[in-house]
């Protein structure tokens, strides 16, 4: 069963614009993570936010978490063509990670 | 850096063949996972292992089995490959990050085509 659902499924923007992706989940979590996947490759961990945190930053990434709404958002500021990839949220059970279906981001030069 | 290595990037097998997908991690992680990724379906967990010789079914274990004889190696076995098992297979290992957190490290994936 998939826990997280990303929204939108696809996003197309110009370089320099900000990109916002959302994730909703169903059950209580310990933490939520965001991963990135370049075309045809494995996933790379971007950022983790714990259930007692509301916001976290890492470089051009900003993640928020609203446990009351069971939702999270990933903001990429000043996007670059190299940010083109699929982005997944993942929720953590005791021993496993459950992924959503991902948002495909296209950043055009 | 953590390294998770999958033995093949691309694999073509015939229907009915027994297929082995190998995954090795070099960071002494206890947990290892096999996912498959399909368009429109995202990543789905097939099996995971939390220790040597231990395994747990994920969401879609049918048609698959796994083997974990050594801590660093986690193998996915397709007992009799079928065309609906054509997919991208992703292996991962994970480490606990404190207070119940997990961080996963993925291999590059194996794109399996069953003809």
């Amino acid at each position: 069963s998939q826990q997280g659902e990303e929204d939108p499924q696809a996003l197309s923007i110009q370089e320099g614009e900000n990109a916002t992706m959302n994730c909703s989940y169903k059950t209580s979590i310990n933490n939520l993570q965001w991963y990135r996947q370049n075309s045809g490759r494995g996933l790379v961990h971007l950022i983790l936010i714990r259930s007692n945190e509301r916001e976290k930053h890492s470089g051009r990434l900003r993640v928020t978490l609203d446990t009351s709404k069971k939702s999270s958002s990933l903001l990429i500021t000043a996007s670059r063509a190299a940010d083109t990839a699929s982005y997944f949220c993942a929720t953590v059970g005791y021993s496993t990670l459950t992924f959503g279906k991902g948002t495909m981001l296209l950043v055009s030069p | 850096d953590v390294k998770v290595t999958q033995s093949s990037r691309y694999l073509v097998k015939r229907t009915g063949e027994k297929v082995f997908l190998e995954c090795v991690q070099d960071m002494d992680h206890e947990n290892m996972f096999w996912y498959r990724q399909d368009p429109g379906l995202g990543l789905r967990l097939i099996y995971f292992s939390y220790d040597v010789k231990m395994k747990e079914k994920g969401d879609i274990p049918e048609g698959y089995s796994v083997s974990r004889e050594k801590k660093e190696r986690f193998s996915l076995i397709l007992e009799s490959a079928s065309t609906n098992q054509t997919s991208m297979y992703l292996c991962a290992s994970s480490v606990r990050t404190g207070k119940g957190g997990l961080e996963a490290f993925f291999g590059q994936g194996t794109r399996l085509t069953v003809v």
Side-chain angles (χ1 to χ4, degrees):
Chain A
S1 56
Q2 267 164 323
Q3 170 77 299
E5 287 289 335
E6 291 89 347
D7 169 58
Q9 290 185 356
L11 182 60
S12 184
I13 60 174
Q14 299 289 317
E15 264 191 327
E17 294 181 341
N18 295 342
T20 300
M21 290 159 267
N22 303 296
C23 169
S24 59
Y25 58 93
K26 295 174 184 173
T27 61
S28 297
I29 58 170
N30 288 325
N31 64 67
L32 185 143
Q33 304 174 32
W34 285 89
Y35 287 78
R36 166 196 168 122
Q37 183 182 35
N38 288 83
S39 179
R41 314 291 281 189
L43 278 73
V44 175
H45 180 265
L46 291 176
I47 194 166
L48 178 153
I49 185 165
R50 302 191 193 288
S51 58
N52 62 351
E53 296 176 314
R54 292 296 166 259
E55 188 171 312
K56 199 161 184 180
H57 296 255
S58 177
R60 293 184 295 112
L61 305 180
R62 173 177 166 255
V63 170
T64 62
L65 180 64
D66 186 336
T67 52
S68 66
K69 295 181 179 177
K70 292 187 169 57
S71 68
S72 174
S73 67
L74 171 67
L75 168 67
I76 304 174
T77 60
S79 62
R80 305 167 183 167
D83 294 328
T84 294
S86 292
Y87 292 83
F88 295 85
C89 68
T91 52
V92 181
Y94 180 71
S95 295
T96 63
L97 284 162
T98 303
F99 290 84
K101 296 179 182 178
T103 292
M104 194 178 304
L105 173 66
L106 173 64
V107 182
S108 301
Chain B
D1 282 348
V2 175
K3 193 162 186 184
V4 179
T5 304
Q6 293 182 231
S7 52
S8 304
R9 285 296 312 278
Y10 301 95
L11 212 51
V12 180
K13 295 293 182 180
R14 296 194 180 279
T15 301
E17 276 193 75
K18 190 169 186 176
V19 181
F20 293 85
L21 302 183
E22 306 287 347
C23 176
V24 177
Q25 51 98 358
D26 66 357
M27 281 301 290
D28 203 37
H29 289 168
E30 291 181 349
N31 294 343
M32 296 188 74
F33 309 83
W34 276 105
Y35 292 87
R36 67 177 278 178
Q37 184 177 22
D38 300 286
L41 297 177
L43 279 80
R44 294 179 290 168
L45 181 64
I46 305 171
Y47 267 97
F48 69 99
S49 168
Y50 52 89
D51 203 350
V52 174
K53 297 191 186 295
M54 306 302 286
K55 60 185 179 183
E56 292 284 343
K57 292 179 180 179
D59 297 320
I60 52 164
E62 297 78 19
Y64 304 93
S65 61
V66 290
S67 172
R68 186 116 182 251
E69 295 297 319
K70 293 184 178 181
K71 194 172 187 179
E72 67 270 19
R73 185 180 296 271
F74 191 34
S75 303
L76 179 69
I77 304 156
L78 286 65
E79 297 291 342
S80 177
S82 63
T83 54
N84 63 12
Q85 292 178 310
T86 291
S87 186
M88 169 74 103
Y89 289 87
L90 293 163
C91 173
S93 68
S94 72
V95 62
R96 294 220 168 266
T97 57
K99 292 188 179 180
L102 280 177
E103 179 176 344
F105 299 86
F106 280 83
Q108 290 299 293
T110 296
R111 189 167 291 283
L112 172 68
T113 303
V114 182
V115 298

